Amino acid sequence: MAMFRDVGKIAGEATGWVLGKPIEFLGHMTNSNTISSIGKGVNQTSKFAGDTVGQVADGVVNTSVGYVTKDSVKSEEGMNDLSDAVNKTAKGVRSTAKMTVENGKDIYTGYVDQDNERMKSGLKGIVTTVAIGAVAIGVMDFLGGSDQA
């Protein structure tokens, strides 16, 4: 039973298309590779967020059902879903951190060497990462539901 994951994938793809494609189009219209890149990134991270939220929901349901019905196979399936979702998220965080460090080094090295192009490239990378990250967090909040009263 991967119903929640399927719904999450569909919701993530729809959200990615609604948010990412207009940004990507704006980038094409303004000849800005940075804006186009942000649009593509928003699209991809929205898909990832929807899939992950759905996988977590399936994991919680399967683990709970397995526990209540004493079905160890169902519980194990749920725990595997949860574990996979955590591992994918950790890899994404690690990758984002690595990109941020590399862009930070480009900014610093560009500044020290007075290489404005390298500094500019590093700044664009950080702006892109922050913009995509902010939207991804918003999508996760939206898809995961509000925990505010």
Side-chain angles (χ1 to χ4, degrees):
M1 172 171 76
M3 180 185 75
F4 292 110
R5 188 167 187 185
D6 291 342
V7 169
K9 283 180 182 179
I10 291 167
E13 286 180 22
T15 303
W17 195 86
V18 167
L19 296 175
K21 289 299 180 182
I23 296 169
E24 192 175 345
F25 178 73
L26 178 63
H28 290 301
M29 295 303 293
T30 60
N31 290 323
S32 172
N33 290 334
T34 302
I35 293 174
S36 291
S37 178
I38 290 170
K40 288 176 186 173
V42 164
N43 195 357
Q44 288 303 111
T45 57
S46 295
K47 289 177 183 178
F48 177 83
D51 181 45
T52 303
V53 168
Q55 186 175 23
V56 167
D58 273 339
V60 168
V61 168
N62 287 335
T63 301
S64 300
V65 167
Y67 179 76
V68 169
T69 62
K70 302 201 184 331
D71 181 346
S72 62
V73 172
K74 185 63 97 176
S75 280
E76 186 69 26
E77 183 181 316
M79 292 302 288
N80 287 339
D81 277 340
L82 292 171
S83 176
D84 186 47
V86 168
N87 287 332
K88 286 190 318 185
T89 302
K91 285 180 186 175
V93 169
R94 211 172 18 254
S95 174
T96 301
K98 182 179 175 185
M99 287 177 10
T100 303
V101 168
E102 287 173 8
N103 286 313
K105 281 197 265 186
D106 283 344
I107 294 169
Y108 177 75
T109 305
Y111 175 76
V112 169
D113 295 344
Q114 295 185 354
D115 181 349
N116 288 336
E117 286 305 310
R118 189 166 189 180
M119 243 174 41
K120 189 173 161 182
S121 175
L123 283 168
K124 282 181 182 180
I126 287 187
V127 165
T128 301
T129 300
V130 168
I132 293 168
V135 172
I137 290 168
V139 169
M140 290 286 275
D141 283 347
F142 174 74
L143 293 174
S146 175
D147 54 2
Q148 303 286 320

